[in-house]
Amino acid sequence: MSSRALVSLAVGLAVSGSAMSATQIEWWHAMGGANGEKVEEIAQAFNSAQDLYEVKPVYKGNYTETMTSAIAAFRAKQQPAIVQVFEVGTASMMAAEGAIYPVYKLMREQGQPFNQDDYLSSVTGYYTDQDGNMLSMPFNSSTPVLYYNKELFAKAGVSAPKTWEDMETVSQKLLDSGVECGFTTSWQSWIQLENLSARHNVPFATKSNGFAGMDTEFAFNGPVQVAHISKMSEWQQNGIFSYGGRRSDSAPKFYSQECAMFMGSSAGYAGMKRNAKFDFGVSQLPYWASQIDTPQNTIIGGASLWVLQGKSDAEYQGVATFLNFLSRADMQADWHQFSGYLPITHAAYDLTKGQGFYAANSGTETGVIQMTSVTPTENSKGLRLGNFVQIRDIINEELESVWSGDADAQAALDKAVERGNALLRKFEKANN
């Protein structure tokens, strides 16, 4: 959608006032490239629709850099009004006592219409407190899906696997047909442990995955997770699985057709279209049929928008007005269709479907269906864990020891749990 067309969407927000006296709203974000350009476009649409407030987006680097910058700025009393924070930073933001202005309170106190039932529960659940109140506004939420090479599948005479049992059978047939590897994965902690646990309705950590208190302990060394990682270790040795890195480093294995399947973010769809020189499909993450009859929803990645304390009433009125603008069905549908991130409201999802986007872009609805087909449980609502950025590094290290054959699954996950719990205790001590 062009910038002119996007601006025209916002005419309904027009109010009287002088542009010269518009209240400035600073928004720090971590969106680079095309998504960063889209953020600028969204802000311009809002600014052009009214003249009381001017949103000023500021790119602050990657997620970690943006969050670190915001914390430092708050301590120096130079914080922005809005900051984009990735989902694993949620516990740290919540623990920053006196630093955040919960979105549900902001919208109520500033008189903006706000109904939490309008939002997808599987998305907003990540950002709610124990009473179900939304603390931040979801902005760019994604979930992992399975991408597969339709051309290699046709050659091998196989179809997209639904279960992990199918994954083994399908991958072996692909190998027999000449493919070098069955599948690879990005973000192994997020997909192969965090989402695996949610999908099978088993805890990743105690205390409702940290939602019920900071005195949580890890539980991802349970039977389901150990059996899965053990099987992946076996597959790593026989070529069914091929490890390619901690983040999205493994994507080239799929683009080059070395691997016939790739597990990655639903928001990677646009990158797939740019880089895959073959026909590909998108399906839901597999589940172990031996462990669960109907799989649970997956959990999200991405980030949300947090409002920081220390600003004027005029700025908060502007922030609330802007967040209401961002939540509009037309705005969310446009962002969803452009970026590949999930729509955050039922209305945006319905609008996208009604516009024929999913019918014209096969596979783009997969992540939404996967997230909304069942009601989230305490095991599939999300994670609320302190120091989790560092803990993911620990998990990555221990998983790599399994893939290299230096440790078995049980020993590696036990060690990751022990090391991770030590960081959880440090977080609890620092924030109690």
Side-chain angles (χ1 to χ4, degrees), residues 410-428:
Q410 186 73 67
L413 293 183
D414 286 348
K415 191 173 181 181
V417 163
E418 180 182 0
R419 294 174 66 193
N421 282 340
L423 288 182
L424 288 180
R425 298 291 72 79
K426 286 184 179 180
F427 183 83
E428 181 185 14

Side-chain angles (χ1 to χ4, degrees), residues 115-303:
N115 184 351
Q116 292 190 180
D117 292 338
D118 293 340
Y119 299 80
L120 301 181
S121 62
S122 51
V123 172
T124 59
Y126 213 113
Y127 305 112
T128 57
D129 61 18
Q130 274 295 95
D131 296 320
N133 297 311
M134 281 173 58
L135 303 175
S136 61
M137 181 68 73
F139 177 57
N140 57 304
S141 297
S142 59
T143 200
V145 294
L146 175 68
Y147 296 94
Y148 62 97
N149 186 319
K150 287 186 174 181
E151 296 174 13
L152 294 179
F153 270 50
K155 180 182 177 182
V158 295
S159 56
K162 292 184 178 181
T163 69
W164 280 106
E165 288 89 349
D166 293 340
M167 281 288 289
E168 184 169 47
T169 302
V170 167
S171 293
Q172 188 57 59
K173 289 182 178 179
L174 286 161
L175 294 181
D176 293 342
S177 72
V179 177
E180 190 171 338
C181 103
F183 76 95
T184 188
T185 186
S186 62
W187 298 96
Q188 57 182 352
S189 174
W190 182 46
I191 297 175
Q192 305 302 336
L193 281 176
E194 297 161 43
N195 271 281
L196 175 94
S197 301
R199 196 86 165 126
H200 295 85
N201 200 24
V202 296
F204 184 80
T206 62
K207 295 280 184 174
S208 300
N209 286 339
F211 275 79
M214 283 188 282
D215 55 338
T216 178
E217 293 185 341
F218 285 115
F220 58 77
N221 58 341
V224 172
Q225 296 96 331
V226 169
H228 177 70
I229 298 303
S230 180
K231 196 64 177 176
M232 286 189 67
S233 175
E234 176 188 320
W235 290 339
Q236 169 71 16
Q237 302 306 314
N238 64 24
I240 285 178
F241 165 60
S242 178
Y243 178 61
R246 296 182 177 185
R247 295 176 178 254
S248 294
D249 319 62
S250 57
K253 288 178 175 286
F254 183 69
Y255 299 149
S256 68
Q257 304 193 66
E258 174 186 340
C259 295
M261 290 176 280
F262 170 74
M263 295 181 191
S265 170
S266 58
Y269 186 84
M272 286 291 163
K273 292 188 72 172
R274 284 194 304 269
N275 294 293
K277 307 304 180 185
F278 50 84
D279 191 16
F280 67 88
V282 186
S283 66
Q284 296 189 27
L285 280 190
Y287 62 94
W288 286 103
S290 60
Q291 299 293 336
I292 194 167
D293 293 329
T294 302
Q296 274 299 132
N297 59 287
T298 49
I299 57 178
I300 61 173

